[in-house]
Amino acid sequence: MNTLFTLGAILVIIGGICDLFGAIGLLKFPNFYIRLHAATIGTIGGAAVPLFGVALLALSTNIPNKYAIAGASLITGIITLLAAPAGATALAYAAHKTNAVEWNPKTDHLKEARK
Amino acid sequence: MKRLIGLLTILITVLGVACYVAQNLTPPENLHPLGEYYLENSYFGEHSAKSPEAVTSILWDYRGVDTLFETAVFFLAIIGSLTLFRLNKEQAEEAKQGEPKPQLPEPVVVVTKLTVAMILAVSASIALHGQLTPGGGFQGGSALAVAPLLVIAAYTKYALEKNGLDKTRAIIIRSIGLLGIALTALTPLLVSGYIMQNQPIFPAKALGVPLGGSLVLYNLFEYLAVGAGFTAVFLLLSIPEEKFKKFLGVRR
């Protein structure tokens, strides 16, 4: 097998590990903001990275329409890469602004910056 | 421990059912005669809609009148919600007053801009490829309506209105779409005496691309009408509650 295939397979495996850690974090983390971090691990590490891996895998083989598969995976990965952080930011902002969740920060950089 | 046993029982049951179903689920060997007729005639054959996508040709050609009435039901629902939110001129003007300032942090706003552009492109491709690939006017229009919804969420409804897409314009675009559907349905009446006839009145191909005759026109107009209809409803729904209570005269 060539380098592209190995690289793609490694990315897909990293995605699986990220998904597992994201799921464990979502169940075990104590409050909303840290759980949001776990959810983002699931979307970036667990969805965008393996999609890039799939693109590399498709390029390394000789299946029909391999460029279409690779391009679609790449674009879906990029869109996920853009949309997931924006969604997480919007959620965190809304939760912070409406004071909807409990929040006991050790350090509050936002408050320091606003002073 | 009890929960683990319950979980294991559910898991084993689901797996067992899945294995059982997968073994007994064989694809049917014989096509239904009606299905065979549609498959053979949607692109080739004498009673053809000249579209390789059998679903779209059934929807807008073989079963066209049915789809026309389905569309009418949807548009009556939109008319109903517009009537429910009816405002007079001053009230409509007051509902437009507001700060068109983004409500969310900078990264969300930037990503929204990119996403809106992508949604417009994808929804147009869903609608205009409806005669070639799965998709069509209603699906494309529903996807199109997500774009103004995103703008309303990330900016405000006032940003959408200041940039020229207010309720009146949305209703005008929707009416153009409906008029287009009606004209496309009635044109064959002048030529041959049948309503909603597709071939051979409308061209089957243009520049080598199969258009499916009237299918591409129906899809285009339905796309405009559905997208703009949803946009009008979203614009009305996003009027702040305080303003609406004032219009209705609700006492606090």
Side-chain angles (χ1 to χ4, degrees):
Chain A
M1 288 296 153
N2 52 28
T3 339
L4 271 182
F5 187 89
T6 321
L7 210 62
I10 289 173
L11 284 181
V12 171
I13 291 168
I14 288 176
I17 296 170
C18 283
D19 259 340
L20 185 67
F21 285 167
I24 295 172
L26 210 57
L27 289 170
K28 291 287 176 189
F29 280 164
N31 67 41
F32 171 77
Y33 295 102
I34 309 178
R35 276 204 291 275
L36 198 59
H37 165 64
T40 323
I41 289 178
T43 45
I44 300 290
V49 171
L51 275 169
F52 294 141
V54 168
L56 293 182
L57 282 180
L59 284 180
S60 73
T61 53
N62 274 325
I63 49 176
N65 299 329
K66 65 175 185 173
Y67 292 109
I69 296 172
S73 314
L74 192 70
I75 287 173
T76 317
I78 290 173
I79 290 174
T80 316
L81 208 58
L82 280 174
T89 312
L91 274 176
Y93 178 80
H96 184 259
K97 189 150 192 178
T98 55
N99 231 345
V101 291
E102 204 183 327
W103 191 41
N104 303 311
K106 293 224 166 70
T107 51
D108 191 349
H109 291 300
L110 189 63
K111 211 171 195 175
E112 283 163 22
R114 276 191 183 150
K115 263 177 192 168
Chain B
M1 195 61 205
K2 242 183 178 176
R3 277 171 67 188
L4 202 68
I5 291 172
L7 205 69
L8 273 178
T9 320
I10 292 173
L11 201 69
I12 289 167
T13 319
V14 168
L15 275 178
V17 169
C19 285
Y20 179 76
V21 168
Q23 273 178 358
N24 291 304
L25 207 70
T26 46
E29 282 173 14
N30 298 317
L31 276 174
H32 204 271
L34 191 65
E36 207 175 321
Y37 172 81
Y38 284 141
L39 282 178
E40 278 173 2
N41 279 295
S42 68
Y43 191 51
F44 305 102
E46 291 195 359
H47 309 285
S48 173
K50 293 275 186 277
S51 156
E53 170 71 7
V55 176
T56 310
S57 34
I58 292 172
L59 271 180
W60 277 118
D61 194 5
Y62 300 118
R63 231 189 56 176
V65 181
D66 189 59
T67 309
L68 204 65
F69 280 103
E70 267 174 30
T71 310
V73 170
F74 170 73
F75 289 111
L76 282 178
I78 293 230
I79 286 283
S81 43
L82 291 179
T83 322
L84 210 64
F85 283 92
R86 196 178 48 185
L87 304 172
N88 64 29
K89 234 175 195 175
E90 291 94 58
Q91 287 170 340
E93 203 50 52
E94 195 185 330
K96 277 190 200 174
Q97 300 304 317
E99 277 285 300
K101 217 173 67 183
Q103 299 279 304
L104 290 169
E106 191 68 29
V108 183
V109 170
V110 174
V111 171
T112 305
K113 272 183 199 164
L114 288 172
T115 321
V116 165
M118 284 190 281
I119 287 174
L120 292 180
V122 169
S123 67
S125 100
I126 293 174
L128 298 177
H129 274 233
Q131 78 278 17
L132 298 176
T133 50
F138 195 92
Q139 291 85 335
S142 314
L144 174 69
V146 178
L149 196 61
L150 267 181
V151 173
I152 288 172
Y155 294 77
T156 46
K157 78 185 270 282
Y158 311 115
L160 207 59
E161 279 162 353
K162 291 260 156 64
N163 284 307
L165 187 66
D166 58 357
K167 195 193 82 182
T168 325
R169 292 235 175 115
I171 294 176
I172 289 172
I173 296 174
R174 174 184 160 283
S175 308
I176 292 173
L178 285 183
L179 200 68
I181 293 177
L183 286 180
T184 317
L186 291 178
T187 312
L189 202 60
L190 303 173
V191 183
S192 64
Y194 292 105
I195 192 173
M196 287 200 84
Q197 193 185 353
N198 182 357
Q199 302 293 338
I201 290 156
F202 295 100
K205 266 188 184 181
L207 303 171
V209 181
L211 291 180
S214 61
L215 300 182
V216 70
L217 294 173
Y218 284 128
N219 275 338
L220 174 67
F221 290 126
E222 176 97 356
Y223 169 66
L224 287 179
V226 170
F230 271 130
T231 307
V233 173
F234 290 151
L235 277 172
L236 284 173
L237 284 177
S238 58
I239 297 174
E241 206 177 335
E242 291 92 48
K243 277 189 184 170
F244 231 100
K245 280 188 174 164
K246 208 176 118 200
F247 297 153
L248 296 174
V250 177
R251 288 208 196 95
R252 302 194 178 224

